[in-house]
Amino acid sequence: MNVKFSLILAPACGAVLFAGSALANDNTSVSVTQDDSNVQLEAIQVEGRALSYYKEDETTVATGTATPIDETPQSVQVLTETLIEDQAARQISDLYRSISGVSYNNFSVVTMRGFEQDVILYDGLKGDPFSGFSIPQLFNISEIQVLKGPAGAIYGAGDAGGVINYVTKKPSYEQQNRLEVTAGNEDFLSGSIESSGPANEDASQRYRVGIYSSGEDSYRNNVEEENRIIDLGYAWDLDAKNTLSLQYTDIKQYITGARIRGIPTDDDGNFLTDISWNNNEKSDFQELDAQVFQATLDHNINSWLDSRFSARYFENKEVQNYHEIAELLDNDGDGNYDETVRQYRDRQEETKGLTLASSLVAELDDHTILAGVDLYHEVNDMLYYRAEGETNGVSNLSFTDPVYGQTNVSSYDLALRSDDRTILNRGGVYLQDQWRATDKLSLVAGGRADYMSEDFTDNTDSSNNLSYNDIGYSTRLGTTYELSKQLKPYASYSTGFTPQSAEDQQYSADGSLFDPEKSQQVEVGVRSYLFDNRLNLNFALYRIIRNNMLTDDPDEDEEDYLISIGEIRSKGFEVDALVDITPRWVANVNYAYNDLKVSETSDDGRNLANSPYHQLGVWTRYDFPSISSSIALGADYVSQQKNRDDQIVKPFTVYDLSWQTNWEDWKFQVNVKNLFDKEYAVSGFTETIGSYVGEPRRVYLSAAYDF
């Protein structure tokens, strides 16, 4: 643990210790004097502000049923709507500091407990409209649920690090209307209007309408961004036992000067040029057009049995025309790169997906039985042209004196790189029993079987066409126990799997199918509620093994052949604290330590990339009730990382500041992100592509009116 990290961790620990001291000395009764006599009043226990602002007591993400988090035998974090609003989070990357063990990897991909993770659910269903290279936006999101570790027993195929579930905003029984406008530096301007409430007199029918639009410039050359989201919802209580919910979301995003890559660095992590540099021309762009349709029917069959049927369909079209760094040049021979050879990529990708899911929940005395089945169908079409270097008309670009617009895209000699279609089908059945064995002991046991098939069609060469199918199994066993109202330990064993791609299956030397990558996690932890429930301290200790990674076959002369022997071991611990330091001062502190080891595979660089040993996130808020205001300070520390080429990505610490004031029906807010305007990289890719740059200081001023 280096000195800088110690200096950062010390104040956070000090805050928690100070809180403990303050809370330990906090009187739980009040003595008053009346008519010269002392009267001792009985204390009234009130839930602390931190727990009311930032804590959820139950969630569905871990078990598929509404389960108290204290009875969930696996690490779960929930980011509430209040926390999202306090941090003025517009996209998920704004919130990584508040999720222990999660850090930025690239675009929408994160590192979770040491593993790349890009599995995203919406209301527990597959169908990510931002799939590709767009980062999920949060306008229509009310809550973010994070399940740590393998989640195959409920969700089937997925990544070893965990899963992120976005809970969308739903129509409300009471009328709620909000108009919000935000302005900021880099010419940022956004506006939104939301209205939700009863559509008839008895509120058996309800609606939601939300519209969001934003535009901004960037610190990177040639970049501008526009976003628009339309979110519509309708809920209908058909009768006392049936509720139908419908939702439609339309998403459009247009970014000029994109796809925005990183900036190359030297081996010590120093940027080779100014962070405003961009390899893309003004005419380059990334455009996303997505629509989502979702329907859910909840049916109360009888007093002990409920059912749910859900369908989610999405269309996602992403068009990218952009320049990519292909090679770094040292023209003057001084040992420093000063120019890039560029590729131009014309890439169009269209994805359509449908999820159908049905489940039954039975309450049988001390048992809650969950049984379900789900099907997922996805069609992906990709068309990709590329030109590289001056011989194909693509000009080089200087690091020190970039001159844009030297060449015209219409003159490039573009070659077709791929024209293909992938059809994916997955289906799973699962069964889970949650047994409340005693008033203090709860047990969870579940298993799932999945069938998958994938067909790959190369429209340019039918000899490359591939098909395969396979079966995967996942399990989970877990227990929670209430030692006391203050201490609630848990333990679990969970497994998961990730299918091999159809493309890799063709490189088996004997023609047999590769088994899916398999992961298994052992986790123990304790949830604690100390000092009259004013300090909620959660601790989780885990070990994950991931097997069946593909690597080069040493027994074959041809390098293309693969074998399945690779292994990654990830182990670490996480500490999450919610604390009322005083009745007006609250804090949310998250710390994670992770140690990753890769063996028996030649792809160490990719698997070890962007896996920091230490992460610390702090968000602390102080209220001023007399003026209906609050001030908040955030800090985000990530220790040193490596990119895929073993170059250093420097550790960084950034601070944020927020001020809120409420006046009648108005809420005014100022957020300053990267308060001290630190220049840093959030993660690394390769020596050529470079490291992804953290945003310089951003200032946002917003006004929201509830009516």
Side-chain angles (χ1 to χ4, degrees):
M1 187 178 294
N2 59 43
V3 174
K4 184 175 182 180
F5 176 71
S6 300
L7 292 174
I8 295 167
L9 183 59
C13 295
V16 175
L17 292 174
F18 172 77
S21 175
L23 297 176
N25 294 321
D26 185 35
N27 293 325
T28 57
S29 62
V30 180
S31 180
V32 299
T33 301
Q34 185 178 10
D35 298 331
D36 297 325
S37 62
N38 290 332
V39 179
Q40 193 77 11
L41 300 182
E42 185 177 350
I44 300 176
Q45 183 171 333
V46 180
E47 185 180 63
R49 289 180 179 268
L51 273 67
S52 64
Y53 285 157
Y54 301 143
K55 185 177 186 299
E56 282 288 349
D57 293 324
E58 70 175 29
T59 180
T60 61
V61 69
T63 61
T65 65
T67 303
I69 293 178
D70 291 343
E71 297 178 15
T72 302
Q74 201 167 336
S75 184
V76 176
Q77 272 188 270
V78 177
L79 307 187
T80 64
E81 192 167 6
T82 300
L83 181 64
I84 295 171
E85 290 183 356
D86 280 1
Q87 298 193 22
R90 295 183 295 111
Q91 56 189 30
I92 183 60
S93 54
D94 295 330
L95 293 169
Y96 293 154
R97 74 145 59 86
S98 298
I99 313 173
S100 58
V102 171
S103 61
Y104 188 92
N105 193 301
N106 66 90
F107 298 104
S108 62
V109 179
V110 299
T111 299
M112 183 182 294
R113 289 191 167 178
F115 299 100
E116 285 189 10
Q117 189 274 345
D118 60 359
V119 175
I120 292 174
L121 304 175
Y122 284 81
D123 299 320
L125 303 172
K126 294 181 176 68
D128 176 18
F130 296 97
S131 61
F133 295 91
S134 298
I135 299 175
Q137 305 293 300
L138 302 178
F139 166 67
N140 66 325
I141 302 302
S142 64
E143 185 175 276
I144 299 167
Q145 303 171 343
V146 184
L147 175 62
K148 313 286 186 64
I154 294 293
Y155 301 111
D159 298 312
V163 67
I164 298 175
N165 181 49
Y166 295 91
V167 179
T168 59
K169 295 179 180 178
K170 307 295 193 301
S172 57
Y173 281 94
E174 296 182 356
Q175 191 65 42
Q176 299 174 357
N177 304 302
R178 168 169 281 204
L179 176 67
E180 184 168 354
V181 177
T182 303
N185 60 335
E186 302 292 354
D187 292 330
F188 178 86
L189 182 64
S190 73
S192 66
I193 185 167
E194 296 177 87
S195 180
S196 180
N200 60 356
E201 187 173 348
D202 64 359
S204 62
Q205 298 181 50
R206 301 169 298 284
Y207 76 94
R208 167 178 158 76
V209 176
I211 302 174
Y212 171 85
S213 180
S214 70
E216 62 182 309
D217 292 338
S218 173
Y219 66 97
R220 299 289 293 271
N221 295 342
N222 302 326
V223 177
E224 297 177 5
E225 180 174 342
E226 297 176 359
N227 284 280
R228 193 209 69 195
I229 300 174
I230 299 174
D231 188 53
L232 308 176
Y234 174 76
W236 183 11
D237 297 333
L238 302 172
D239 53 38
K241 292 180 175 291
N242 294 278
T243 297
L244 175 66
S245 301
L246 304 174
Q247 184 176 359
Y248 167 75
T249 307
D250 181 79
I251 300 165
K252 294 188 184 298
Q253 183 182 77
Y254 190 91
I255 309 175
T256 62
R259 171 193 330 173
I260 306 173
R261 288 291 203 177
I263 293 178
T265 69
D266 60 23
D267 290 344
D268 295 323
N270 301 303
F271 291 120
L272 299 184
T273 185
D274 189 85
I275 63 170
S276 63
W277 184 87
N278 185 6
N279 198 56
N280 294 307
E281 300 282 343
K282 183 75 171 178
S283 58
D284 293 355
F285 68 91
Q286 176 177 304
E287 182 177 21
L288 171 70
D289 190 352
Q291 292 82 39
V292 181
F293 303 86
Q294 185 169 306
T296 300
L297 178 63
D298 289 299
H299 176 48
N300 174 231
I301 300 173
N302 54 40
S303 61
W304 55 270
L305 185 61
D306 294 297
S307 70
R308 166 171 285 193
F309 175 80
S310 299
R312 181 178 176 87
Y313 172 80
F314 78 99
E315 297 179 354
N316 167 310
K317 184 176 182 180
E318 191 171 59
V319 180
Q320 298 179 345
N321 287 189
Y322 67 102
H323 289 78
E324 180 82 294
I325 304 176
E327 184 182 351
L328 303 177
L329 300 178
D330 176 13
N331 286 317
D332 56 15
D334 66 352
N336 297 314
Y337 294 121
D338 49 40
E339 192 172 86
T340 68
V341 176
R342 297 191 294 174
Q343 293 176 353
Y344 179 76
R345 300 182 177 183
D346 182 342
R347 189 175 184 275
Q348 301 180 42
E349 187 168 3
E350 186 169 358
T351 305
K352 297 179 180 180
L354 173 65
T355 296
L356 300 175
S358 180
S359 63
L360 290 171
V361 178
E363 297 287 350
L364 303 173
D365 295 327
D366 295 325
H367 293 267
T368 299
I369 306 296
L370 171 69
V373 57
D374 54 54
L375 303 171
Y376 181 66
H377 173 74
E378 180 184 287
V379 179
N380 176 272
D381 291 291
M382 187 170 71
L383 183 64
Y384 172 29
Y385 293 87
R386 193 176 79 185
E388 180 175 330
E390 294 178 325
T391 57
N392 290 316
V394 187
S395 62
N396 293 353
L397 189 70
S398 169
F399 277 140
T400 57
D401 185 24
V403 178
Y404 297 99
Q406 300 179 63
T407 54
N408 192 307
V409 172
S410 62
S411 65
Y412 291 173
D413 184 12
L414 292 168
L416 179 64
R417 300 290 297 182
S418 59
D419 178 6
D420 56 58
R421 163 172 284 201
T422 302
I423 299 177
L424 173 66
N425 289 289
R426 292 181 181 174
V429 293
Y430 55 92
L431 182 66
Q432 175 184 269
D433 181 14
Q434 295 171 261
W435 177 28
R436 290 171 292 280
T438 70
D439 291 340
K440 297 180 180 294
L441 177 66
S442 294
L443 303 170
V444 175
R448 175 175 171 128
D450 281 86
Y451 171 82
M452 67 213 75
S453 68
E454 187 174 4
D455 298 308
F456 176 81
T457 302
D458 187 338
N459 295 321
T460 65
D461 186 353
S462 60
S463 65
N464 293 328
N465 295 349
L466 302 162
S467 296
Y468 92 104
N469 57 74
D470 207 348
I471 296 176
Y473 301 96
S474 305
T475 58
R476 176 173 56 187
L477 299 172
T479 181
T480 61
Y481 187 78
E482 184 180 305
L483 281 175
S484 66
K485 294 297 182 183
Q486 291 75 37
L487 296 175
K488 302 177 181 181
Y490 69 89
S492 66
Y493 170 82
S494 57
T495 69
F497 69 97
T498 304
Q500 309 291 359
S501 69
E503 182 178 2
D504 284 340
Q505 293 288 358
Q506 67 177 318
Y507 298 118
S508 172
D510 60 6
S512 62
L513 291 176
F514 293 122
D515 289 333
E517 290 185 7
K518 296 180 180 179
S519 56
Q520 51 186 318
Q521 173 183 266
V522 175
E523 178 179 337
V524 295
V526 60
R527 300 180 175 101
S528 60
Y529 301 87
L530 308 174
F531 308 115
D532 292 327
N533 207 31
R534 297 185 183 184
L535 174 60
N536 176 203
L537 190 65
N538 297 333
F539 175 82
L541 179 69
Y542 62 87
R543 178 185 176 91
I544 304 174
I545 300 293
R546 181 179 172 188
N547 296 107
N548 292 347
M549 296 170 55
L550 300 184
T551 190
D552 294 336
D553 189 340
D555 297 327
E556 296 293 332
D557 294 333
E558 296 186 36
E559 295 181 358
D560 288 340
Y561 283 118
L562 302 172
I563 56 174
S564 176
I565 62 170
E567 180 179 288
I568 303 179
R569 186 270 296 146
S570 175
K571 64 179 181 180
F573 66 89
E574 297 160 354
V575 181
D576 305 307
L578 284 172
V579 56
D580 288 322
I581 301 174
T582 73
R584 298 182 183 179
W585 184 12
V586 303
N588 183 357
V589 182
N590 304 281
Y591 169 74
Y593 169 82
N594 179 264
D595 178 32
L596 198 67
K597 181 180 180 181
V598 178
S599 60
E600 299 179 325
T601 176
S602 60
D603 199 10
D604 290 14
R606 179 187 179 100
N607 292 303
L608 289 171
N610 302 315
S611 299
Y613 279 104
H614 305 284
Q615 296 169 251
L616 174 67
V618 179
W619 184 261
T620 180
R621 166 175 163 167
Y622 190 87
D623 289 337
F624 301 92
S626 61
I627 57 174
S628 300
S629 301
S630 66
I631 188 171
L633 178 68
D636 185 15
Y637 169 80
V638 177
S639 67
Q640 180 177 294
Q641 307 172 72
K642 294 290 188 72
N643 68 12
R644 297 182 182 185
D645 290 331
D646 206 37
Q647 289 183 306
I648 288 174
V649 180
K650 290 182 176 181
F652 65 85
T653 307
V654 293
Y655 299 91
D656 294 351
L657 183 68
S658 173
W659 174 272
Q660 292 183 15
T661 296
N662 292 281
W663 176 69
E664 295 184 349
D665 295 325
W666 288 88
K667 176 182 176 181
F668 301 96
Q669 185 166 330
V670 179
N671 285 81
V672 184
K673 299 187 178 185
N674 194 356
L675 180 63
F676 300 111
D677 202 23
K678 181 178 179 60
E679 183 178 291
Y680 67 104
V682 291
S683 67
F685 198 69
T686 63
E687 179 183 26
T688 303
I689 301 300
S691 292
Y692 293 99
V693 185
E695 274 200 318
R697 183 189 297 120
R698 297 297 300 267
V699 180
Y700 300 98
L701 298 88
S702 65
Y705 177 59
D706 294 309
F707 61 97

